[in-house]
Structures are given as structure tokens and as C-alpha cells.
Amino acid sequence: MNKKTAKSKNKKINYKKSEIKIDLCLEEVKTSGRIIIKGKIIDENSKAIKGANVKITDENFNPLNHTKSNCQGEFSLYTNEEKIIINAEHKGFYTFTSRIYLKDEKELQNLLIKLSKIKQVQNILKGTYVCGFKPIKETEVVLQNTKDKNIKYTATTNENGVFLFSNIPFGKYILSLNSNEYCTKNIKICINRCRQFYNIGIICTKRKMKFGTVNGVITDNSGNPIDSALVVLFDAKNNIPLYTTYTNEKGVYLIGGLLPGKYYIIAQK
């Protein structure tokens, strides 16, 4: 498509000369008219990116056209402007922006845009659990996301009471100590872009223990009590034998002084 256009020189109107004459000669200027822009969005490994937002604006950032890349990462747009700004973005990637002068239509039939992945910040949460001046050793610590129950992390305190979580996604969490022996408050923690390293100290107190007992009767198939049967009490969490005892003449056994927890027994005669 050919257009005729021209621009005159500046001339001034003043009180001495209120009328001026401007003559112009219009020359044909070849323009490309409606130009098709085709391209492909890829990542750093040259893999196609589906669903990337691609838009073009003029030099003043006024929107001209927009689209999304298809399964092959390809897109197609058109414009009548010669000078444009193209913008491509996708979640998890840095935004691509470039100015383009549409002087050669061939250059716009195979535009390759490479998006770089946003590198995840390595968020680290470190803390120490103590009771008085003594570290709380070998105790499970739980970090639970408040919105998504599937996001849950566990760690175990070392001999100094220290625990560590790394590569934590952004979000709000509850930090808790999984212990029947110590009293501790749940701590709210917000992992965000403002900080990459968190270091906290938590002071706990010992629970006032109410010791429990396990008792029962060991019988045979007919319901008759069995005396002198061996009864072994196990910690259900770790499957570790804790106490042994024997039944009396009525088949009764009793084990006391137990901390809160889950237990089971095995009896043998």
C-alpha cells in the first residue's frame, strides 16, 4: 500500500503578516500496511512455552494487539505501526520486552523469544529449642503451611537443640514441637521475598507429667485366666520394648509410671 505524505517548513504568523502561504509536493512513500508478526516462545532449554502472554504496544505503551502462545509456543499478531514494543510473559519466568522497528517484514515471520526462569530463592529457617539452659534433643519439629495442608515439613533437633528447614516456598506457616514432655506455643512464621534467612530461638517448659498405667487380663481360648504369663510393653511409635512383667494367679498384669504416648503389649506363656 502506497501513501502520499509530506511535511512543510515552519512558518510564522504575526501582527505584520497574518496570512501565509504553504505549498507542498506530496511524494509517494511505500509502507507495508498491515504487518503480520509471527514467532515462538521458548525457555532456556529451547522447549516451547504454552500459554505465554504476548502483547504489542506503540512507543507510548498504548496497547495495539495481544495473544497467547499455543502448544508449540507459537504466536501470531498483526499491526499497522512501524515502531512497536513487544512484551512476552509467563508465570515463573522473567518478562521479555523489546523495541522493534518494522522495516523488514521478513524478520517478523520467525521471531524467537527466549524466557528465563525465575530462580527460586533458597529460604532457610533455623531455630533452637531449649528448656531452661538445656537443649531439647532428638525431638520432631513440624512446619505446616496454613493454607495448604499438603505443604508440611518435618525436622529433628540435634544434640544442641538446633533444627533446620531449607528451600521453603513463600507462604504462612505454623511452627510446632511434637513432644509430650515439653510445653510450647505454636509460632506463626511468614516466609516472603523480604528475607532469605530466619533464625529463631524457642524456650520451652517441662510438662507436669501425669504418669499413666497399662493393665489387663491374659486368658486362654476358653476365657480362663493364665498365671505367670510374660507381658512385654512396647512403644507403638518406635516399636521398642519398654517394660516386662508377669501375670498373677488371676491372669492380671499392671505396668505403671508411663509417659503420655501410644503403647501395645505382647503376651507369651
Side-chain angles (χ1 to χ4, degrees), residues 192-218:
N192 53 43
R193 297 179 185 274
C194 299
R195 294 175 62 185
Q196 297 181 20
F197 183 79
Y198 302 77
N199 193 2
I200 58 176
I202 305 101
I203 300 175
C204 305
T205 57
K206 273 203 169 186
R207 295 182 187 273
K208 293 181 180 179
M209 291 296 178
K210 292 182 179 179
F211 294 105
T213 61
V214 174
N215 64 81
V217 179
I218 307 300

Side-chain angles (χ1 to χ4, degrees), residues 31-267:
T31 60
S32 54
R34 182 174 177 178
I35 300 176
I36 303 296
I37 304 171
K38 294 182 179 180
K40 187 175 183 179
I41 311 293
I42 60 173
D43 62 14
E44 294 167 308
N45 298 317
S46 298
K47 292 184 179 180
I49 299 176
K50 176 186 175 182
N53 293 311
V54 185
K55 61 182 180 180
I56 54 175
T57 66
D58 61 19
E59 288 190 302
N60 296 317
F61 299 99
N62 296 311
L64 299 175
N65 207 341
H66 69 277
T67 187
K68 285 191 175 185
S69 58
N70 61 18
C71 296
Q72 287 76 40
E74 298 170 345
F75 67 91
S76 178
L77 289 166
Y78 69 87
T79 180
N80 294 321
E81 298 289 329
E82 291 186 348
K83 294 181 180 180
I84 64 167
I85 297 172
I86 188 166
N87 179 288
E89 59 184 10
H90 191 68
K91 186 177 181 181
F93 293 85
Y94 290 105
T95 300
F96 171 90
T97 302
S98 179
R99 293 178 181 270
I100 297 178
Y101 179 44
L102 307 181
K103 58 183 178 179
D104 187 353
E105 190 173 346
K106 292 181 180 179
E107 293 180 2
L108 303 172
Q109 299 302 309
N110 192 22
L111 191 62
L112 190 63
I113 297 176
K114 184 181 290 186
L115 300 184
S116 300
K117 269 196 172 183
I118 298 174
K119 294 181 179 179
Q120 176 68 43
V121 178
Q122 188 181 28
N123 297 308
I124 296 175
L125 172 62
K126 180 182 179 182
T128 307
Y129 275 101
V130 296
C131 180
F133 294 100
K134 294 182 179 180
I136 300 175
K137 307 175 184 179
E138 299 178 357
T139 305
E140 185 181 63
V141 182
V142 179
L143 187 66
Q144 174 71 62
N145 188 281
T146 57
K147 289 187 177 181
D148 190 346
K149 293 183 179 180
N150 294 321
I151 302 178
K152 181 180 178 181
Y153 304 92
T154 59
T156 303
T157 57
N158 63 14
E159 60 182 8
N160 297 315
V162 176
F163 64 89
L164 182 72
F165 295 101
S166 60
N167 293 322
I168 310 167
F170 299 127
K172 294 181 179 180
Y173 295 85
I174 296 293
L175 181 71
S176 60
L177 185 70
N178 189 9
S179 172
N180 292 319
E181 188 176 352
Y182 299 95
C183 293
T184 177
K185 291 183 178 179
N186 293 339
I187 299 172
K188 295 180 180 180
I189 295 176
C190 182
I191 306 295
N192 53 43
R193 297 179 185 274
C194 299
R195 294 175 62 185
Q196 297 181 20
F197 183 79
Y198 302 77
N199 193 2
I200 58 176
I202 305 101
I203 300 175
C204 305
T205 57
K206 273 203 169 186
R207 295 182 187 273
K208 293 181 180 179
M209 291 296 178
K210 292 182 179 179
F211 294 105
T213 61
V214 174
N215 64 81
V217 179
I218 307 300
T219 61
D220 59 18
N221 292 335
S222 301
N224 300 315
I226 301 176
D227 67 329
S228 301
L230 174 65
V231 180
V232 182
L233 181 76
F234 284 80
D235 176 3
K237 182 179 179 180
N238 301 306
N239 293 319
I240 298 174
L242 300 176
Y243 300 98
T244 60
T245 188
Y246 290 89
T247 58
N248 61 16
E249 66 276 4
K250 295 182 180 180
V252 176
Y253 72 92
L254 173 66
I255 300 173
L258 301 176
L259 295 174
K262 291 183 178 181
Y263 303 92
Y264 67 89
I265 65 164
I266 293 179

